[in-house]
Amino acid sequence: MKSLGRWPMRRLRVRGPSMVPTLRDQDVVVFRTGDLARAGDVVLVRWEQRPQQLSVKRAVRREAGGWHVEGDNGFGSTDSRDLGPAQVLGVVRWRLWPSPGRVR
């Protein structure tokens, strides 16, 4: 697996509508690697079927093989309903832009 780097806090630009209304296309967020995900957290994930793609989704529940995650926008999200369990790489904690604040 390709590493995300050694720094635990990283910045990421959200792409696409899957997390509307929580996050929107082009929002800039901070995620933290090494944090344990809990149900309800917004997380950065990777799927075995799409190893080069990173996605931001909401953790729903732990499953055999990873986490079941879903986008907040059920009409505009490809997620565990289509791809199965995902590997959580980090937990999204803050939005930096355009309206800074905690992500819940």
Side-chain angles (χ1 to χ4, degrees):
M1 176 178 90
K2 184 177 177 184
S3 170
L4 291 176
R6 64 186 178 123
W7 301 104
M9 302 281 285
R10 302 290 300 266
R11 177 175 64 174
L12 175 76
R13 184 177 303 273
V14 175
R15 301 294 304 240
S18 72
M19 286 302 292
V20 169
T22 305
L23 298 171
R24 298 185 183 282
D25 186 46
Q26 301 300 316
D27 281 3
V28 177
V29 298
V30 173
F31 69 93
R32 184 176 176 96
T33 61
D35 279 1
L36 294 177
R38 295 180 295 188
D41 284 344
V42 175
V43 292
L44 178 69
V45 299
R46 177 181 289 149
W47 280 277
E48 189 175 312
Q49 301 91 320
R50 296 182 178 179
Q52 300 303 319
Q53 177 182 323
L54 299 177
S55 297
V56 175
K57 305 293 179 188
R58 187 162 310 271
V60 175
R61 65 182 170 276
R62 275 191 147 309
E63 293 185 342
W67 275 88
H68 180 92
V69 297
E70 296 180 4
D72 287 355
N73 177 2
F75 296 106
S77 181
T78 301
D79 49 39
S80 290
R81 294 172 283 196
D82 304 301
L83 300 171
Q87 175 190 14
V88 171
L89 304 175
V91 179
V92 176
R93 296 293 184 194
W94 299 276
R95 177 183 16 254
L96 296 177
W97 187 87
S99 53
R102 185 130 171 104
V103 174
R104 297 177 194 267

mmCIF file of all heavy atoms in Angstrom, residues 9-57:
data_model
loop_
_atom_site.group_PDB
_atom_site.id
_atom_site.type_symbol
_atom_site.label_atom_id
_atom_site.label_comp_id
_atom_site.label_asym_id
_atom_site.label_seq_id
_atom_site.Cartn_x
_atom_site.Cartn_y
_atom_site.Cartn_z
ATOM 1 N N MET A 9 -1.083 14.986 10.280
ATOM 2 C CA MET A 9 -2.120 15.917 9.843
ATOM 3 C C MET A 9 -1.840 16.284 8.397
ATOM 4 O O MET A 9 -0.746 16.723 8.065
ATOM 5 C CB MET A 9 -2.105 17.186 10.702
ATOM 6 C CG MET A 9 -2.290 16.916 12.173
ATOM 7 S SD MET A 9 -3.971 16.618 12.637
ATOM 8 C CE MET A 9 -4.634 18.241 12.582
ATOM 9 N N ARG A 10 -2.855 16.113 7.547
ATOM 10 C CA ARG A 10 -2.687 16.397 6.122
ATOM 11 C C ARG A 10 -3.880 17.190 5.608
ATOM 12 O O ARG A 10 -4.974 17.094 6.151
ATOM 13 C CB ARG A 10 -2.586 15.088 5.328
ATOM 14 C CG ARG A 10 -1.482 14.149 5.720
ATOM 15 C CD ARG A 10 -0.101 14.643 5.372
ATOM 16 N NE ARG A 10 0.093 14.878 3.967
ATOM 17 C CZ ARG A 10 0.591 14.013 3.107
ATOM 18 N NH1 ARG A 10 0.964 12.819 3.517
ATOM 19 N NH2 ARG A 10 0.737 14.336 1.842
ATOM 20 N N ARG A 11 -3.661 17.912 4.553
ATOM 21 C CA ARG A 11 -4.694 18.731 3.921
ATOM 22 C C ARG A 11 -5.160 18.039 2.645
ATOM 23 O O ARG A 11 -4.377 17.386 1.959
ATOM 24 C CB ARG A 11 -4.077 20.082 3.638
ATOM 25 C CG ARG A 11 -4.907 21.053 2.949
ATOM 26 C CD ARG A 11 -4.176 22.354 2.856
ATOM 27 N NE ARG A 11 -2.976 22.195 2.042
ATOM 28 C CZ ARG A 11 -2.192 23.174 1.685
ATOM 29 N NH1 ARG A 11 -2.419 24.392 2.116
ATOM 30 N NH2 ARG A 11 -1.154 22.967 0.921
ATOM 31 N N LEU A 12 -6.436 18.208 2.309
ATOM 32 C CA LEU A 12 -7.018 17.532 1.159
ATOM 33 C C LEU A 12 -8.139 18.388 0.569
ATOM 34 O O LEU A 12 -8.922 18.971 1.319
ATOM 35 C CB LEU A 12 -7.596 16.181 1.614
ATOM 36 C CG LEU A 12 -8.365 15.345 0.618
ATOM 37 C CD1 LEU A 12 -7.396 14.673 -0.347
ATOM 38 C CD2 LEU A 12 -9.179 14.296 1.341
ATOM 39 N N ARG A 13 -8.224 18.435 -0.763
ATOM 40 C CA ARG A 13 -9.334 19.133 -1.433
ATOM 41 C C ARG A 13 -10.393 18.098 -1.801
ATOM 42 O O ARG A 13 -10.099 17.091 -2.441
ATOM 43 C CB ARG A 13 -8.859 19.852 -2.680
ATOM 44 C CG ARG A 13 -9.973 20.657 -3.339
ATOM 45 C CD ARG A 13 -9.488 21.443 -4.540
ATOM 46 N NE ARG A 13 -8.409 22.352 -4.221
ATOM 47 C CZ ARG A 13 -8.553 23.599 -3.772
ATOM 48 N NH1 ARG A 13 -9.756 24.084 -3.594
ATOM 49 N NH2 ARG A 13 -7.510 24.348 -3.523
ATOM 50 N N VAL A 14 -11.612 18.350 -1.383
ATOM 51 C CA VAL A 14 -12.736 17.455 -1.659
ATOM 52 C C VAL A 14 -13.159 17.641 -3.114
ATOM 53 O O VAL A 14 -13.233 18.769 -3.611
ATOM 54 C CB VAL A 14 -13.920 17.768 -0.711
ATOM 55 C CG1 VAL A 14 -15.139 16.944 -1.063
ATOM 56 C CG2 VAL A 14 -13.504 17.550 0.737
ATOM 57 N N ARG A 15 -13.427 16.536 -3.780
ATOM 58 C CA ARG A 15 -13.896 16.570 -5.172
ATOM 59 C C ARG A 15 -15.220 15.832 -5.268
ATOM 60 O O ARG A 15 -15.344 14.720 -4.772
ATOM 61 C CB ARG A 15 -12.877 15.892 -6.091
ATOM 62 C CG ARG A 15 -11.485 16.485 -6.083
ATOM 63 C CD ARG A 15 -11.466 17.875 -6.656
ATOM 64 N NE ARG A 15 -12.009 17.892 -7.985
ATOM 65 C CZ ARG A 15 -11.351 18.276 -9.051
ATOM 66 N NH1 ARG A 15 -10.125 18.701 -8.950
ATOM 67 N NH2 ARG A 15 -11.928 18.252 -10.224
ATOM 68 N N GLY A 16 -16.198 16.450 -5.891
ATOM 69 C CA GLY A 16 -17.477 15.788 -6.131
ATOM 70 C C GLY A 16 -18.534 16.088 -5.090
ATOM 71 O O GLY A 16 -18.270 16.690 -4.061
ATOM 72 N N PRO A 17 -19.773 15.631 -5.369
ATOM 73 C CA PRO A 17 -20.930 15.961 -4.547
ATOM 74 C C PRO A 17 -21.310 14.916 -3.492
ATOM 75 O O PRO A 17 -22.334 15.050 -2.836
ATOM 76 C CB PRO A 17 -22.052 16.058 -5.588
ATOM 77 C CG PRO A 17 -21.684 14.988 -6.575
ATOM 78 C CD PRO A 17 -20.164 15.042 -6.655
ATOM 79 N N SER A 18 -20.509 13.883 -3.286
ATOM 80 C CA SER A 18 -20.963 12.761 -2.460
ATOM 81 C C SER A 18 -21.183 13.097 -0.988
ATOM 82 O O SER A 18 -21.924 12.402 -0.310
ATOM 83 C CB SER A 18 -20.002 11.579 -2.574
ATOM 84 O OG SER A 18 -18.796 11.850 -1.907
ATOM 85 N N MET A 19 -20.558 14.157 -0.474
ATOM 86 C CA MET A 19 -20.704 14.480 0.950
ATOM 87 C C MET A 19 -21.565 15.712 1.222
ATOM 88 O O MET A 19 -21.594 16.217 2.335
ATOM 89 C CB MET A 19 -19.322 14.642 1.586
ATOM 90 C CG MET A 19 -18.610 13.327 1.790
ATOM 91 S SD MET A 19 -19.536 12.170 2.832
ATOM 92 C CE MET A 19 -19.466 12.996 4.411
ATOM 93 N N VAL A 20 -22.279 16.203 0.200
ATOM 94 C CA VAL A 20 -23.198 17.327 0.401
ATOM 95 C C VAL A 20 -24.318 16.865 1.321
ATOM 96 O O VAL A 20 -24.826 15.762 1.140
ATOM 97 C CB VAL A 20 -23.754 17.796 -0.973
ATOM 98 C CG1 VAL A 20 -24.893 18.775 -0.797
ATOM 99 C CG2 VAL A 20 -22.633 18.385 -1.818
ATOM 100 N N PRO A 21 -24.726 17.585 2.331
ATOM 101 C CA PRO A 21 -24.424 18.976 2.624
ATOM 102 C C PRO A 21 -23.236 19.191 3.559
ATOM 103 O O PRO A 21 -22.845 20.328 3.783
ATOM 104 C CB PRO A 21 -25.704 19.476 3.284
ATOM 105 C CG PRO A 21 -26.193 18.285 4.052
ATOM 106 C CD PRO A 21 -25.829 17.087 3.177
ATOM 107 N N THR A 22 -22.653 18.140 4.115
ATOM 108 C CA THR A 22 -21.561 18.307 5.078
ATOM 109 C C THR A 22 -20.343 18.955 4.432
ATOM 110 O O THR A 22 -19.769 19.897 4.989
ATOM 111 C CB THR A 22 -21.164 16.941 5.680
ATOM 112 O OG1 THR A 22 -22.328 16.335 6.244
ATOM 113 C CG2 THR A 22 -20.094 17.093 6.740
ATOM 114 N N LEU A 23 -19.925 18.436 3.290
ATOM 115 C CA LEU A 23 -18.793 18.980 2.537
ATOM 116 C C LEU A 23 -19.216 19.140 1.086
ATOM 117 O O LEU A 23 -20.019 18.358 0.574
ATOM 118 C CB LEU A 23 -17.592 18.032 2.621
ATOM 119 C CG LEU A 23 -17.015 17.792 4.011
ATOM 120 C CD1 LEU A 23 -15.994 16.675 3.970
ATOM 121 C CD2 LEU A 23 -16.402 19.074 4.571
ATOM 122 N N ARG A 24 -18.637 20.138 0.439
ATOM 123 C CA ARG A 24 -18.973 20.413 -0.958
ATOM 124 C C ARG A 24 -17.726 20.314 -1.829
ATOM 125 O O ARG A 24 -16.608 20.355 -1.338
ATOM 126 C CB ARG A 24 -19.587 21.805 -1.081
ATOM 127 C CG ARG A 24 -20.877 21.913 -0.289
ATOM 128 C CD ARG A 24 -21.565 23.237 -0.493
ATOM 129 N NE ARG A 24 -22.749 23.338 0.333
ATOM 130 C CZ ARG A 24 -23.916 22.766 0.064
ATOM 131 N NH1 ARG A 24 -24.060 22.040 -1.009
ATOM 132 N NH2 ARG A 24 -24.943 22.912 0.876
ATOM 133 N N ASP A 25 -17.953 20.168 -3.126
ATOM 134 C CA ASP A 25 -16.859 20.128 -4.095
ATOM 135 C C ASP A 25 -15.950 21.340 -3.895
ATOM 136 O O ASP A 25 -16.440 22.464 -3.770
ATOM 137 C CB ASP A 25 -17.438 20.122 -5.514
ATOM 138 C CG ASP A 25 -16.386 19.925 -6.578
ATOM 139 O OD1 ASP A 25 -15.536 19.033 -6.428
ATOM 140 O OD2 ASP A 25 -16.411 20.672 -7.571
ATOM 141 N N GLN A 26 -14.663 21.096 -3.812
ATOM 142 C CA GLN A 26 -13.609 22.112 -3.657
ATOM 143 C C GLN A 26 -13.368 22.546 -2.206
ATOM 144 O O GLN A 26 -12.481 23.377 -1.966
ATOM 145 C CB GLN A 26 -13.861 23.346 -4.547
ATOM 146 C CG GLN A 26 -13.940 23.021 -6.024
ATOM 147 C CD GLN A 26 -12.673 22.384 -6.568
ATOM 148 O OE1 GLN A 26 -11.572 22.821 -6.270
ATOM 149 N NE2 GLN A 26 -12.833 21.321 -7.352
ATOM 150 N N ASP A 27 -14.131 22.051 -1.227
ATOM 151 C CA ASP A 27 -13.800 22.340 0.171
ATOM 152 C C ASP A 27 -12.408 21.798 0.463
ATOM 153 O O ASP A 27 -12.005 20.758 -0.067
ATOM 154 C CB ASP A 27 -14.779 21.659 1.134
ATOM 155 C CG ASP A 27 -16.107 22.376 1.271
ATOM 156 O OD1 ASP A 27 -16.325 23.388 0.569
ATOM 157 O OD2 ASP A 27 -16.936 21.912 2.072
ATOM 158 N N VAL A 28 -11.666 22.496 1.318
ATOM 159 C CA VAL A 28 -10.360 22.027 1.760
ATOM 160 C C VAL A 28 -10.503 21.593 3.216
ATOM 161 O O VAL A 28 -10.991 22.366 4.049
ATOM 162 C CB VAL A 28 -9.283 23.125 1.620
ATOM 163 C CG1 VAL A 28 -7.939 22.645 2.165
ATOM 164 C CG2 VAL A 28 -9.144 23.552 0.162
ATOM 165 N N VAL A 29 -10.096 20.360 3.502
ATOM 166 C CA VAL A 29 -10.241 19.789 4.838
ATOM 167 C C VAL A 29 -8.892 19.311 5.363
ATOM 168 O O VAL A 29 -7.939 19.145 4.606
ATOM 169 C CB VAL A 29 -11.248 18.608 4.842
ATOM 170 C CG1 VAL A 29 -12.634 19.072 4.422
ATOM 171 C CG2 VAL A 29 -10.774 17.475 3.952
ATOM 172 N N VAL A 30 -8.844 19.092 6.659
ATOM 173 C CA VAL A 30 -7.678 18.498 7.312
ATOM 174 C C VAL A 30 -8.098 17.146 7.852
ATOM 175 O O VAL A 30 -9.131 17.026 8.520
ATOM 176 C CB VAL A 30 -7.166 19.386 8.468
ATOM 177 C CG1 VAL A 30 -6.073 18.682 9.252
ATOM 178 C CG2 VAL A 30 -6.671 20.712 7.935
ATOM 179 N N PHE A 31 -7.295 16.124 7.535
ATOM 180 C CA PHE A 31 -7.547 14.806 8.102
ATOM 181 C C PHE A 31 -6.327 14.387 8.907
ATOM 182 O O PHE A 31 -5.227 14.879 8.710
ATOM 183 C CB PHE A 31 -7.904 13.780 7.025
ATOM 184 C CG PHE A 31 -6.774 13.397 6.109
ATOM 185 C CD1 PHE A 31 -5.976 12.300 6.391
ATOM 186 C CD2 PHE A 31 -6.512 14.134 4.972
ATOM 187 C CE1 PHE A 31 -4.944 11.945 5.532
ATOM 188 C CE2 PHE A 31 -5.492 13.790 4.119
ATOM 189 C CZ PHE A 31 -4.693 12.694 4.401
ATOM 190 N N ARG A 32 -6.561 13.486 9.825
ATOM 191 C CA ARG A 32 -5.494 13.003 10.701
ATOM 192 C C ARG A 32 -5.362 11.500 10.528
ATOM 193 O O ARG A 32 -6.329 10.767 10.690
ATOM 194 C CB ARG A 32 -5.808 13.347 12.150
ATOM 195 C CG ARG A 32 -4.713 12.958 13.099
ATOM 196 C CD ARG A 32 -5.051 13.419 14.511
ATOM 197 N NE ARG A 32 -4.052 12.956 15.418
ATOM 198 C CZ ARG A 32 -3.015 13.688 15.824
ATOM 199 N NH1 ARG A 32 -2.880 14.921 15.409
ATOM 200 N NH2 ARG A 32 -2.141 13.179 16.659
ATOM 201 N N THR A 33 -4.156 11.057 10.183
ATOM 202 C CA THR A 33 -3.892 9.631 10.088
ATOM 203 C C THR A 33 -3.617 9.097 11.493
ATOM 204 O O THR A 33 -3.214 9.840 12.381
ATOM 205 C CB THR A 33 -2.674 9.344 9.182
ATOM 206 O OG1 THR A 33 -1.521 9.973 9.739
ATOM 207 C CG2 THR A 33 -2.909 9.847 7.773
ATOM 208 N N GLY A 34 -3.866 7.844 11.708
ATOM 209 C CA GLY A 34 -3.583 7.226 12.998
ATOM 210 C C GLY A 34 -4.723 7.324 13.990
ATOM 211 O O GLY A 34 -4.713 6.649 15.006
ATOM 212 N N ASP A 35 -5.719 8.171 13.744
ATOM 213 C CA ASP A 35 -6.882 8.249 14.631
ATOM 214 C C ASP A 35 -7.776 7.033 14.384
ATOM 215 O O ASP A 35 -7.924 6.595 13.249
ATOM 216 C CB ASP A 35 -7.713 9.503 14.354
ATOM 217 C CG ASP A 35 -7.152 10.739 15.019
ATOM 218 O OD1 ASP A 35 -6.112 10.639 15.682
ATOM 219 O OD2 ASP A 35 -7.766 11.805 14.863
ATOM 220 N N LEU A 36 -8.362 6.521 15.429
ATOM 221 C CA LEU A 36 -9.311 5.430 15.277
ATOM 222 C C LEU A 36 -10.659 5.999 14.852
ATOM 223 O O LEU A 36 -11.170 6.929 15.475
ATOM 224 C CB LEU A 36 -9.465 4.674 16.594
ATOM 225 C CG LEU A 36 -8.225 3.930 17.077
ATOM 226 C CD1 LEU A 36 -8.490 3.285 18.424
ATOM 227 C CD2 LEU A 36 -7.803 2.894 16.058
ATOM 228 N N ALA A 37 -11.195 5.454 13.791
ATOM 229 C CA ALA A 37 -12.502 5.901 13.307
ATOM 230 C C ALA A 37 -13.606 5.349 14.199
ATOM 231 O O ALA A 37 -13.485 4.251 14.747
ATOM 232 C CB ALA A 37 -12.705 5.436 11.867
ATOM 233 N N ARG A 38 -14.652 6.135 14.323
ATOM 234 C CA ARG A 38 -15.858 5.706 15.022
ATOM 235 C C ARG A 38 -17.039 5.919 14.098
ATOM 236 O O ARG A 38 -16.997 6.771 13.208
ATOM 237 C CB ARG A 38 -16.054 6.521 16.300
ATOM 238 C CG ARG A 38 -14.956 6.301 17.324
ATOM 239 C CD ARG A 38 -15.207 7.119 18.541
ATOM 240 N NE ARG A 38 -15.105 8.533 18.161
ATOM 241 C CZ ARG A 38 -15.118 9.531 19.006
ATOM 242 N NH1 ARG A 38 -15.256 9.320 20.280
ATOM 243 N NH2 ARG A 38 -15.014 10.774 18.579
ATOM 244 N N ALA A 39 -18.085 5.157 14.309
ATOM 245 C CA ALA A 39 -19.304 5.342 13.511
ATOM 246 C C ALA A 39 -19.735 6.796 13.612
ATOM 247 O O ALA A 39 -19.750 7.376 14.702
ATOM 248 C CB ALA A 39 -20.398 4.407 14.003
ATOM 249 N N GLY A 40 -20.033 7.392 12.463
ATOM 250 C CA GLY A 40 -20.437 8.793 12.414
ATOM 251 C C GLY A 40 -19.332 9.738 11.985
ATOM 252 O O GLY A 40 -19.604 10.860 11.580
ATOM 253 N N ASP A 41 -18.063 9.306 12.080
ATOM 254 C CA ASP A 41 -16.944 10.145 11.659
ATOM 255 C C ASP A 41 -16.911 10.288 10.144
ATOM 256 O O ASP A 41 -17.283 9.371 9.407
ATOM 257 C CB ASP A 41 -15.603 9.539 12.087
ATOM 258 C CG ASP A 41 -15.279 9.713 13.556
ATOM 259 O OD1 ASP A 41 -15.928 10.549 14.222
ATOM 260 O OD2 ASP A 41 -14.370 9.007 14.037
ATOM 261 N N VAL A 42 -16.434 11.428 9.675
ATOM 262 C CA VAL A 42 -16.131 11.618 8.259
ATOM 263 C C VAL A 42 -14.686 11.143 8.083
ATOM 264 O O VAL A 42 -13.799 11.549 8.836
ATOM 265 C CB VAL A 42 -16.303 13.091 7.835
ATOM 266 C CG1 VAL A 42 -15.874 13.287 6.389
ATOM 267 C CG2 VAL A 42 -17.742 13.534 8.033
ATOM 268 N N VAL A 43 -14.483 10.256 7.118
ATOM 269 C CA VAL A 43 -13.186 9.587 6.997
ATOM 270 C C VAL A 43 -12.660 9.618 5.561
ATOM 271 O O VAL A 43 -13.419 9.738 4.601
ATOM 272 C CB VAL A 43 -13.267 8.117 7.481
ATOM 273 C CG1 VAL A 43 -13.512 8.049 8.985
ATOM 274 C CG2 VAL A 43 -14.350 7.343 6.735
ATOM 275 N N LEU A 44 -11.349 9.491 5.444
ATOM 276 C CA LEU A 44 -10.684 9.321 4.157
ATOM 277 C C LEU A 44 -10.476 7.823 3.975
ATOM 278 O O LEU A 44 -9.939 7.160 4.868
ATOM 279 C CB LEU A 44 -9.343 10.040 4.154
ATOM 280 C CG LEU A 44 -8.515 9.898 2.875
ATOM 281 C CD1 LEU A 44 -9.188 10.635 1.732
ATOM 282 C CD2 LEU A 44 -7.109 10.404 3.101
ATOM 283 N N VAL A 45 -10.911 7.290 2.831
ATOM 284 C CA VAL A 45 -10.868 5.839 2.615
ATOM 285 C C VAL A 45 -10.274 5.482 1.260
ATOM 286 O O VAL A 45 -10.167 6.316 0.362
ATOM 287 C CB VAL A 45 -12.275 5.197 2.721
ATOM 288 C CG1 VAL A 45 -12.879 5.421 4.100
ATOM 289 C CG2 VAL A 45 -13.202 5.684 1.621
ATOM 290 N N ARG A 46 -9.955 4.191 1.158
ATOM 291 C CA ARG A 46 -9.510 3.584 -0.101
ATOM 292 C C ARG A 46 -10.174 2.221 -0.188
ATOM 293 O O ARG A 46 -10.337 1.534 0.808
ATOM 294 C CB ARG A 46 -7.991 3.439 -0.072
ATOM 295 C CG ARG A 46 -7.429 2.746 -1.289
ATOM 296 C CD ARG A 46 -5.925 2.600 -1.200
ATOM 297 N NE ARG A 46 -5.304 3.913 -1.368
ATOM 298 C CZ ARG A 46 -4.164 4.252 -0.795
ATOM 299 N NH1 ARG A 46 -3.524 3.424 0.000
ATOM 300 N NH2 ARG A 46 -3.653 5.445 -1.008
ATOM 301 N N TRP A 47 -10.563 1.847 -1.411
ATOM 302 C CA TRP A 47 -11.155 0.534 -1.649
ATOM 303 C C TRP A 47 -10.153 -0.369 -2.343
ATOM 304 O O TRP A 47 -9.363 0.092 -3.176
ATOM 305 C CB TRP A 47 -12.394 0.636 -2.543
ATOM 306 C CG TRP A 47 -13.615 1.055 -1.802
ATOM 307 C CD1 TRP A 47 -14.446 0.247 -1.089
ATOM 308 C CD2 TRP A 47 -14.150 2.365 -1.687
ATOM 309 N NE1 TRP A 47 -15.463 0.981 -0.544
ATOM 310 C CE2 TRP A 47 -15.300 2.289 -0.893
ATOM 311 C CE3 TRP A 47 -13.751 3.611 -2.177
ATOM 312 C CZ2 TRP A 47 -16.073 3.391 -0.580
ATOM 313 C CZ3 TRP A 47 -14.510 4.719 -1.867
ATOM 314 C CH2 TRP A 47 -15.657 4.602 -1.077
ATOM 315 N N GLU A 48 -10.218 -1.656 -2.025
ATOM 316 C CA GLU A 48 -9.350 -2.643 -2.650
ATOM 317 C C GLU A 48 -9.525 -2.644 -4.170
ATOM 318 O O GLU A 48 -8.560 -2.775 -4.913
ATOM 319 C CB GLU A 48 -9.655 -4.035 -2.085
ATOM 320 C CG GLU A 48 -8.680 -5.091 -2.512
ATOM 321 C CD GLU A 48 -8.961 -6.416 -1.828
ATOM 322 O OE1 GLU A 48 -9.140 -6.427 -0.599
ATOM 323 O OE2 GLU A 48 -9.000 -7.427 -2.551
ATOM 324 N N GLN A 49 -10.766 -2.469 -4.643
ATOM 325 C CA GLN A 49 -11.050 -2.486 -6.078
ATOM 326 C C GLN A 49 -10.539 -1.231 -6.786
ATOM 327 O O GLN A 49 -10.407 -1.218 -8.005
ATOM 328 C CB GLN A 49 -12.561 -2.579 -6.362
ATOM 329 C CG GLN A 49 -13.226 -3.785 -5.781
ATOM 330 C CD GLN A 49 -13.773 -3.496 -4.379
ATOM 331 O OE1 GLN A 49 -13.154 -2.819 -3.568
ATOM 332 N NE2 GLN A 49 -14.929 -4.029 -4.081
ATOM 333 N N ARG A 50 -10.300 -0.163 -6.037
ATOM 334 C CA ARG A 50 -9.840 1.115 -6.605
ATOM 335 C C ARG A 50 -8.675 1.655 -5.775
ATOM 336 O O ARG A 50 -8.798 2.707 -5.136
ATOM 337 C CB ARG A 50 -10.976 2.127 -6.625
ATOM 338 C CG ARG A 50 -12.127 1.726 -7.511
ATOM 339 C CD ARG A 50 -13.189 2.784 -7.509
ATOM 340 N NE ARG A 50 -14.281 2.416 -8.394
ATOM 341 C CZ ARG A 50 -15.355 3.157 -8.565
ATOM 342 N NH1 ARG A 50 -15.502 4.285 -7.929
ATOM 343 N NH2 ARG A 50 -16.303 2.749 -9.390
ATOM 344 N N PRO A 51 -7.532 0.975 -5.789
ATOM 345 C CA PRO A 51 -6.441 1.344 -4.883
ATOM 346 C C PRO A 51 -5.845 2.733 -5.118
ATOM 347 O O PRO A 51 -5.247 3.297 -4.201
ATOM 348 C CB PRO A 51 -5.401 0.248 -5.110
ATOM 349 C CG PRO A 51 -5.719 -0.328 -6.436
ATOM 350 C CD PRO A 51 -7.198 -0.176 -6.621
ATOM 351 N N GLN A 52 -6.003 3.289 -6.292
ATOM 352 C CA GLN A 52 -5.447 4.624 -6.564
ATOM 353 C C GLN A 52 -6.403 5.760 -6.194
ATOM 354 O O GLN A 52 -6.013 6.922 -6.211
ATOM 355 C CB GLN A 52 -5.066 4.735 -8.047
ATOM 356 C CG GLN A 52 -4.036 3.724 -8.480
ATOM 357 C CD GLN A 52 -2.757 3.795 -7.658
ATOM 358 O OE1 GLN A 52 -2.270 4.870 -7.337
ATOM 359 N NE2 GLN A 52 -2.241 2.641 -7.272
ATOM 360 N N GLN A 53 -7.652 5.421 -5.867
ATOM 361 C CA GLN A 53 -8.661 6.442 -5.578
ATOM 362 C C GLN A 53 -8.831 6.631 -4.080
ATOM 363 O O GLN A 53 -9.064 5.670 -3.343
ATOM 364 C CB GLN A 53 -10.000 6.027 -6.185
ATOM 365 C CG GLN A 53 -11.128 6.996 -5.876
ATOM 366 C CD GLN A 53 -12.447 6.524 -6.453
ATOM 367 O OE1 GLN A 53 -12.486 5.957 -7.534
ATOM 368 N NE2 GLN A 53 -13.525 6.750 -5.723
ATOM 369 N N LEU A 54 -8.750 7.871 -3.624
ATOM 370 C CA LEU A 54 -9.070 8.214 -2.248
ATOM 371 C C LEU A 54 -10.444 8.864 -2.246
ATOM 372 O O LEU A 54 -10.778 9.630 -3.148
ATOM 373 C CB LEU A 54 -8.041 9.186 -1.677
ATOM 374 C CG LEU A 54 -6.602 8.685 -1.633
ATOM 375 C CD1 LEU A 54 -5.692 9.786 -1.111
ATOM 376 C CD2 LEU A 54 -6.495 7.441 -0.776
ATOM 377 N N SER A 55 -11.251 8.575 -1.224
ATOM 378 C CA SER A 55 -12.595 9.136 -1.135
ATOM 379 C C SER A 55 -12.866 9.601 0.287
ATOM 380 O O SER A 55 -12.337 9.037 1.244
ATOM 381 C CB SER A 55 -13.642 8.078 -1.507
ATOM 382 O OG SER A 55 -13.487 7.665 -2.840
ATOM 383 N N VAL A 56 -13.699 10.611 0.416
ATOM 384 C CA VAL A 56 -14.156 11.091 1.717
ATOM 385 C C VAL A 56 -15.596 10.644 1.878
ATOM 386 O O VAL A 56 -16.452 10.950 1.046
ATOM 387 C CB VAL A 56 -14.039 12.630 1.812
ATOM 388 C CG1 VAL A 56 -14.633 13.128 3.126
ATOM 389 C CG2 VAL A 56 -12.590 13.067 1.674
ATOM 390 N N LYS A 57 -15.853 9.899 2.957
ATOM 391 C CA LYS A 57 -17.188 9.344 3.220
ATOM 392 C C LYS A 57 -17.459 9.368 4.723
ATOM 393 O O LYS A 57 -16.592 9.690 5.520
ATOM 394 C CB LYS A 57 -17.280 7.887 2.731
ATOM 395 C CG LYS A 57 -16.923 7.675 1.275
ATOM 396 C CD LYS A 57 -17.920 8.317 0.338
ATOM 397 C CE LYS A 57 -17.503 8.097 -1.120
ATOM 398 N NZ LYS A 57 -18.325 8.836 -2.034
#
